[in-house]
Every structure is written in C-alpha cells, then in structure tokens.
Amino acid sequence: MEQFRSVVKVEKINKNRPRQSFVYGCVSYLLVFPIFRFLFRGQTIGVSNLPKTGGVVVVSNHGSHLDPPILGHALGRPVAFMAKSELFKIPILSFIISACGAYPVKRGGGDREALRHASNRLIEGCATGVFLDGTRQENGRVNDPKSGAAFLAARTRSPILPVAIVNSHRAFPKGSLLPRFVSIHLRVGELIQPPSTRKREDLISTTKEIQISINSMLDEGLIQNTCN
C-alpha cells in the first residue's frame, strides 16, 4: 500500500508545469527567440506533440553550441537540459544556458549528480533535455547514441519526445568562431513511451528507436530544404 501511495504521488507531481523564471523569460523573448526566428529564419514543426504539462524527456541531436539555447526556448516551454561542464566556463554562453535551466555534466561515464538532478526535475514536472550523442557531431546526426535518456525515462516513467535540430551544424560548425546565418528549424516527433524496465536490452532498444526517429526527421528536413 505504501508503494502504491508513492507511485500516485509521483504521477501527481509529474502532471505539474513549473513556472518559468523572470530571467528565463527575458533571455527567451528578448534574446534567444528573436535570434532564432529572424537571424536564422527559424521555425518549429510539430510542436503540438510536446505535452503542455508534466515531466517529459526531450531528446535531440547535437550539431553546435547553438543547440542548448535553441532547444531551451524554441519549443514554447522551458526545457532544463544537461550541458557539458566546459560550456559553463564561457562567460556569455554560460549565462544564457544557465538562464535556460541547464546544469553541467562531466564528460566520460555517468555523472550521478547530473542524473539525480535530471530525475528530480522530471518528477517535479519539468521538460528535461538530453543530447543523445552527448557531444557535438560534425554531420549533425545521431551517430553514437547513449542510453542516458532512456534510463531517465525508465527511472521516472516519463515519456520521451524526439526533436531534430536541422542545420545547426552548418550554422555554427565545430571549430568556427562565428556563425553562418543559414536556416535552422526544429522538427518535433511523436512521443515515445519509456522502456518497460531498466534492463540493458530495453534501454538499448528504446535508444535505437529514438535515434531512428531523430535521423528520419533530419532526412525529411534536408529534403524539404533542397526542394525549397
């Protein structure tokens, strides 16, 4: 009976939608969103797939340093996300991603503190973002997915929302000092249910499903850009 009460409590909390902070609103509407919308001619397709309330693991590809602020602001709902600890040493970027609700994660292996923080945010009802490869990919695709997102979803029983960030790797390639103002847009996929267990095979299966979903949306986005 006690276990049942605990489950009910978590489900109740997960239906919440924590309020965004004043700083987040300022950074979002006065800085990040205008840059995304006008300089990069950004648009978001399929945003109705994002639940308006409750914990959800937002999972995307990672092509450039532009991804954290874009992912944190272009969906119309605050997204707290893991970001590599090195980014918090860059003054302006550190301020922006911190205002987005980002928290640092150390490279290599699992960062227990970051996983604990992410789990708590999901249980509180936050949308929590994870880059599936864990680091930037030069081709902007999901090439070497990690199972962290699936683990978080299984641990908190939160649904998974795949998101493809199209062209950010071209807008700000690795090694570049200045961005190129090419069109960037987001494609939001359908929700994926969390793994039924935390067993390795279940985590790998769900991770593969996320990878296929994101890469398929990236292909669709490239085809659309070519046609246009």
Side-chain angles (χ1 to χ4, degrees), residues 29-44:
Y29 298 112
L30 299 180
L31 179 61
V32 178
F33 188 76
I35 290 175
F36 169 67
R37 184 67 182 88
F38 299 111
L39 293 184
F40 292 105
R41 304 185 300 282
Q43 59 177 316
T44 305

Side-chain angles (χ1 to χ4, degrees), residues 50-95:
L50 172 65
K52 295 182 179 180
T53 61
V56 56
V57 184
V58 179
V59 188
S60 78
N61 56 308
H62 192 15
S64 80
H65 288 320
L66 296 171
D67 298 334
I70 287 176
L71 185 62
H73 294 272
L75 295 179
R77 179 181 171 185
V79 179
F81 55 90
M82 295 183 182
K84 62 182 182 180
S85 56
E86 291 87 346
L87 295 181
F88 291 83
K89 298 177 182 178
I90 304 175
I92 297 178
L93 183 62
S94 175
F95 171 77

